[in-house]
Amino acid sequence: MANSNLLQPDTRTSIFSPQTVPKDLLAGVVVFLVALPLCLGIAIASDAPPFAGVLAGIIGGIVVGSLSGSHTSVSGPAAGLTAIVAVQIATLGSFEAFLLAVLVGGVLQIGLGIARAGALSAFFPSSVIKGLLAAIGVILILKQIPHILGHDNDPEGDMAFSQPDNENTFTEIFSTFAGDIHVGALVVGLLSIGVLIVWEKVKPLKRSFLPGPLVVVLMGVAISVYLRTLGGKWEISSSHLVQFPVAESTSAFFSFFTTPDFSQWTNPAIYIAGVTIAIVASLETLLNLEAVDKIDPEHRDSPPSRELVAQGVGNVIAGLVGGLPMTSVIVRSSVNVDAGVKTKLSAIFHAVLLLVCAVFFPMYLNMIPLSALAAILLVTGFKLASPKLFSQMWKEGRYQFAPFIITLVSIVMTDLLIGILIGLGVSVLFILNSNLRRPIRRIVETHLDGDIVHVELANQVSFLNRAALDKLLGNASRGTHLLIDATESDYIDPDILSLIRDYKTNTAPVRGVTVSLKGFRDKYKLQDEIQFADYSTRELQDRVTPGQVLSILREGNHRFVSGNRLTRDFGRQVHATASGQTPLAVVLSCIDSRVPAELVLDVGLGDIFSVRVAGNVIGTKSLGSIEYGVTVAGVKLVLVMGHTRCGAVTAAVNLLGTNQDVEQATGCPHLHAIINEIEPSVDRDAFYAASAQDESQIEAVIDEVIVRNVMQTVQKITTRSGAIRTAVESGKVMVVGAIYDVASGKIAFLDDQGNERPHVPSLAQQGV
């Protein structure tokens, strides 16, 4: 039942919607015009009958197009299979025997699809997919230049670097410019390029009912007919026109069809060829499917396993009636997308046109100049290999750009299949290199007990990572504390486990390195062992000074702002602090939801007392809490932390500045206690002056009140509490003000005058 939906109709988009049918039919016409010479050219390049290529295009459109779940992919004879087809026909001795191999390959593809082998497409690197697209674009440009100029020695559709005529992609261009230029074909080709460019740039033309490629073909035919009247060098001869096989009678037409030689079923070479076709055709299909999905404007995802089943059915039928093996083809598919396709009706319709023209109008197809069709492909090539794509890949860094450009060059300089395999191989090498260089994440964390080198092991740690981990451990200097964290690791190679055990037991003690372990699974026989305090302890509380506690909080906020918060084991902290607490500081802050003290100061459980009240004002109960922290719990710092855009301070300034009654204005009968505490910090004259100007001036006044309110609270704490004042005077405790910026997350720690305190050395520099 798991595979029962592979051949279910695709209901996401109706192919007969009135809104999409006109666009799909026009796109189908454009694809038909491009597919026609490609089908013929690929068959000729494969040493197969020309009609076999056309037949593969018909089956690929009607059969595969109907069964496929893709609305953009177009199937047909593939340039990537050209060399394989030619070799297998020669090896098996006849085209009929080869058809039996195509049938076997199709059956295997159906099996691959049912087995969900299409899931392999998820492992193709995007850099290779984009390299494939760009390479096809470059090849289209290079291969169509000779055809634009009327040099048609190489068949259309041949994408390989080495050509059947013993030329290659570049020598073909050189020989063309050396003198083999046909004037009539050149005129048609250049005019066609010009029309396509204008059609793309002029919005009314681009939005018109007629697609530019169809206009180009009709114009090419008209010019060709006219040039024939001029004769001489202007006339475009049949060698520069489409050469579709024409049957003189119905029986002659059916003679184009060929059946497989079933007598060869015992020949092992048939099955070797079938496996080769199935693997290569499936690989090329999955790659092309991924590539065309990337250029689909609607960003639809095509089901890859369903595509393999559809391709398999198509190849079975092709093998039975005399067609070439087929795949999803990126050239036709990209033309389809560029023509504005909406649904797979386009692919089906292009095949119907191939069939109708093959049966009824082959002689009219032979009036189309190859240079007009070459112009369509050349312009498509420029869109696929756009400078924007190269710029984008360059900006993504060498690990993306190198596989991309190597894939591109490899495909251009060899052929589609070899180039893709080289690109995939290079991507694998880059992935291995990345894993070898970064099997772990190394972070230096400043915990309360000092600097800890936190080593996070990767999800998969193989023997390939041994050298990098050994180097990291070997570079640890005396006095270093290493925390090796395997929390995120699903697999650790036995060689890595052996290295860690030996280092912790034997090497680290000799070198003066302390090693803590965390997150190792029971089967690895490495127990969690944390040898440092990542929470406040009695020993640490006794050891640190008030200034050092201030540095701890300052560095914690710096980590919060930079996004490098410490990795904490809160479960361990809960257990460790269950029997008692020895916090380092009391933080008096506002109740504002944007200012949770533990987060913005990056502290753990048991590290601070947190007292929160609107406007961070001091009252009897809040002062009693702070006194308890100083005199009983032994904290070394009291931090009064206000914040920008404080609602309580803003309300106090507005209410006091306009002389409103607090309870009447707010409906809060107890709010006046907070307003009264803030009132000494409010300068009414400054508020009146700001109100006469603009909103920004009022905000500036409120910001000044926020700072004054914090400093007023700092003074009130020592003034109202003799116990705290005594502790401050003896140097055991500091009372410090601070302002948290809700826009940036930064905390400005204030001195006695309300100015920001200068930067102080880190804890490590202080020797904490």
Side-chain angles (χ1 to χ4, degrees), residues 521-730:
R521 298 187 178 187
D522 293 340
K523 64 180 180 179
Y524 296 142
K525 295 182 172 53
L526 285 169
Q527 300 299 320
D528 283 9
E529 184 180 357
I530 304 296
Q531 301 189 59
F532 64 92
D534 58 349
Y535 56 90
S536 178
T537 63
R538 174 63 62 187
E539 185 274 333
L540 179 64
Q541 188 191 60
D542 291 340
R543 176 159 52 93
V544 296
T545 66
Q548 289 169 339
V549 175
L550 182 62
S551 293
I552 289 172
L553 299 185
R554 185 194 295 270
E555 292 181 11
N557 177 248
H558 177 73
R559 292 193 300 271
F560 170 75
V561 173
S562 63
N564 296 317
R565 296 175 60 202
L566 295 184
T567 303
R568 302 181 186 277
D569 188 340
F570 287 110
R572 177 171 175 266
Q573 291 185 1
V574 168
H575 177 74
T577 58
S579 59
Q581 57 179 333
T582 52
L584 300 177
V586 174
V587 179
L588 172 61
S589 60
C590 183
I591 64 169
D592 194 290
S593 61
R594 298 166 293 178
V595 197
E598 290 81 2
L599 287 180
V600 301
L601 292 167
D602 191 26
V603 292
L605 300 180
D607 292 345
I608 63 170
F609 281 132
S610 183
V611 181
R612 303 187 69 170
V613 61
N616 47 269
V617 299
I618 196 71
T620 303
K621 295 180 177 60
S622 57
L623 185 58
S625 299
I626 297 172
E627 277 185 345
Y628 174 84
V630 171
T631 60
V632 179
V635 302
K636 298 296 182 68
L637 180 74
V638 176
L639 182 69
V640 179
M641 186 167 67
H643 65 93
T644 60
R645 302 177 188 176
C646 178
V649 173
T650 301
V653 171
N654 287 325
L655 291 170
L656 295 170
T658 55
N659 297 314
Q660 296 183 66
D661 180 85
V662 176
E663 184 174 353
Q664 289 181 351
T666 64
C668 301
H670 299 95
L671 185 60
H672 65 85
I674 294 174
I675 301 298
N676 291 341
E677 289 291 336
I678 299 174
E679 184 175 6
S681 303
V682 178
D683 184 342
R684 284 182 169 83
D685 292 336
F687 176 78
Y688 299 148
S691 300
Q693 298 181 50
D694 54 35
E695 192 68 28
S696 63
Q697 294 299 316
I698 297 177
E699 291 178 358
V701 169
I702 292 173
D703 287 342
E704 292 175 2
V705 174
I706 289 170
V707 174
R708 283 199 297 270
N709 180 57
V710 166
M711 300 312 298
Q712 289 272 9
T713 302
V714 168
Q715 293 173 7
K716 289 175 182 178
I717 289 173
T718 54
T719 301
R720 297 182 185 180
S721 172
I724 297 176
R725 183 169 62 254
T726 300
V728 170
E729 290 172 350
S730 65

Side-chain angles (χ1 to χ4, degrees), residues 94 123 146 197 282 363 374 415 471 528 647 681 703 745 760:
S94 69
F123 296 96
I197 292 174
S282 298
M363 67 291 296
D415 61 31
K471 181 179 179 182
D528 283 9
S681 303
D703 287 342
V760 296

